[in-house]
Amino acid sequence: MQPRNALEALTMRPAALLRSSWPWRSLAYLASGTLLGAATVAAVMVMLVVGTLLAAVVVGVAGYVGCLLSGIVVARVERRRLRLVDHDELRDPHLPPPRAGLRAWVTLRLREEATWRELFYAALAAAMLSWMDLLVLVGVAYTLLISVGAPWTISDEPLSSTLPAVFAGLLLGPILAYPVIAWAGARAAMARAMLTPPDDARLRELTRSRARLVDAFEVERRRIERDLHDGAQQRLVALSMQLGLARLEVPAGTPGAEPLAAAHQLAKQALTDLRELIRGVHPKVLTDRGLAAAVGEVASLAPVSVDLELRLPGRLPSAVEMTAYFVVAEALTNVAKHAGAERAVVEAFLERGRLILLIRDDGGGGADPAKGSGLTGLADRVAVVDGTVNMSSPAGGPTLLRVEIPVPEEDA
């Protein structure tokens, strides 16, 4: 399993750690931290001096407000820097302003708890953490310089006296990667702890828990589909065949012919119903051939004419395909039951790491989730995979349903 951050990287085997990019990423993180601290101190000093020297009230207040809001800029840069030593993205906790304009933005930011948390982090980073970054970098550089560079730095000593120091420095270099990575990991952990909104830890655990439940439910769904397909369906097929053979042995017009024919029809109807149930539990075509084929099958069985515009590069993660399939199936069912439409269009494509589904129809519109049309359940299903649902359905139509489902980066 690949480490997610610098602290986890320390558990790697020494050879694997030294061959990896973690030592260089850690050095880049500490070096950029030193530069960020220096830039923060310089910018704050400039704003304070300008605000103090210029007697105008507006300029002075603007300078001091800029100092208070400087933490937002530092935190934004820090979130980007964290990607060097931590693969888990740290989201921006700030809310969008209620209206456009600089005044609304500044007012909202000054009232947010995240702004003051970021200001405190910026002050701590500039006053202490960046200097500790510099201390680690200087210590490592100085140690390597006095050892590996001994033949050049100690000019009055013979080469035979300085060569042991060179060899010692070459051996010490890989060992110094460990304190560099350790401090970078600890530094990143402090930044994450200070910049993470209080509810994020619980939210992450709830998200993981929900993902585990969804995976377990999907595994159980597939087991049920497999048991129905390989068990009950095969027995019904055999029963239908046996009843068909029995009908051939019973002459028409005899007392048992009519009940036997009725039983044969009931067996075939039960087989048809079971196949529909299996398709609803987990469509086999989705597992075997993917989302495009499964949506094509749903469209071919829909009561209305459906045009497909599917621009998919290939297979997607199973959770994404399953969610998208049931979204299309439920949407087309709603079109047939409630829209009074004659034609529907289904589009599917990838855009910036998200699967976009567009389902539109030429019906009468006026769709309302509060009326129990299945839209609430559809939105809940999409929310399980962190997707979003938006709908436009004015009275008189047409209706447009837009669903966005995030696709993991490694699978997009």
Side-chain angles (χ1 to χ4, degrees), residues 46-71:
V46 167
M47 285 187 287
L48 287 176
V49 170
V50 170
T52 303
L53 293 180
L54 296 178
V57 175
V58 175
V59 176
V61 171
Y64 290 118
V65 170
C67 293
L68 295 178
L69 297 179
S70 61

Side-chain angles (χ1 to χ4, degrees), residues 203-222 224 318-319 322-323 380-381 383-385:
L203 181 61
R204 284 199 303 272
E205 182 55 34
L206 288 175
T207 302
R208 293 181 185 134
S209 212
R210 184 178 65 180
R212 289 192 295 268
L213 287 175
V214 170
D215 291 341
F217 177 72
E218 183 58 29
V219 170
E220 185 64 16
R221 182 199 290 270
R222 293 192 179 196
I224 293 173
S318 58
M322 177 59 66
T323 302
D380 291 341
R381 182 185 291 274
V384 168
V385 291

Side-chain angles (χ1 to χ4, degrees), residues 174-381:
I175 298 175
L176 290 175
Y178 280 86
V180 170
I181 297 174
W183 171 242
R187 170 88 150 81
M190 283 189 286
R192 177 173 287 278
M194 296 178 67
L195 298 178
T196 300
D199 61 337
D200 258 19
R202 183 170 179 269
L203 181 61
R204 284 199 303 272
E205 182 55 34
L206 288 175
T207 302
R208 293 181 185 134
S209 212
R210 184 178 65 180
R212 289 192 295 268
L213 287 175
V214 170
D215 291 341
F217 177 72
E218 183 58 29
V219 170
E220 185 64 16
R221 182 199 290 270
R222 293 192 179 196
R223 185 192 65 79
I224 293 173
E225 181 269 337
R226 185 173 58 253
D227 291 346
L228 290 175
H229 184 273
D230 298 339
Q233 180 176 257
Q234 299 304 319
R235 294 188 182 93
L236 274 177
V237 170
L239 174 63
S240 181
M241 292 177 62
Q242 290 295 326
L243 289 173
L245 293 174
R247 289 183 64 186
L248 295 177
E249 299 295 330
V250 177
T254 59
E258 186 174 347
L260 189 59
H264 191 201
Q265 286 299 118
L266 287 175
K268 290 194 290 185
Q269 183 61 45
L271 183 59
T272 301
D273 293 343
L274 182 61
R275 284 171 176 164
E276 291 294 327
L277 176 62
I278 293 173
R279 186 181 294 112
V281 171
H282 187 92
K284 187 172 178 58
V285 65
L286 182 64
T287 303
D288 295 341
R289 298 170 54 196
L291 180 61
V295 169
E297 183 179 85
V298 170
S300 66
L301 298 175
V304 299
S305 178
V306 181
D307 296 328
L308 298 179
E309 299 179 16
L310 309 179
R311 302 184 295 277
L312 300 175
R315 296 303 299 265
L316 299 174
S318 58
V320 175
E321 287 191 335
M322 177 59 66
T323 302
Y325 170 82
F326 281 108
V327 164
V328 174
E330 180 67 23
L332 292 180
T333 299
N334 286 340
V335 170
K337 287 183 177 180
H338 308 292
E342 296 181 357
R343 181 173 293 275
V345 178
V346 177
E347 293 185 52
F349 55 91
L350 290 180
E351 182 179 275
R352 294 193 298 273
R354 301 175 76 85
L355 173 63
I356 311 297
L357 295 173
L358 300 175
I359 301 101
R360 61 173 65 89
D361 63 70
D362 58 359
D368 185 1
K371 294 180 180 179
S373 58
L375 294 173
T376 302
L378 187 150
D380 291 341
R381 182 185 291 274

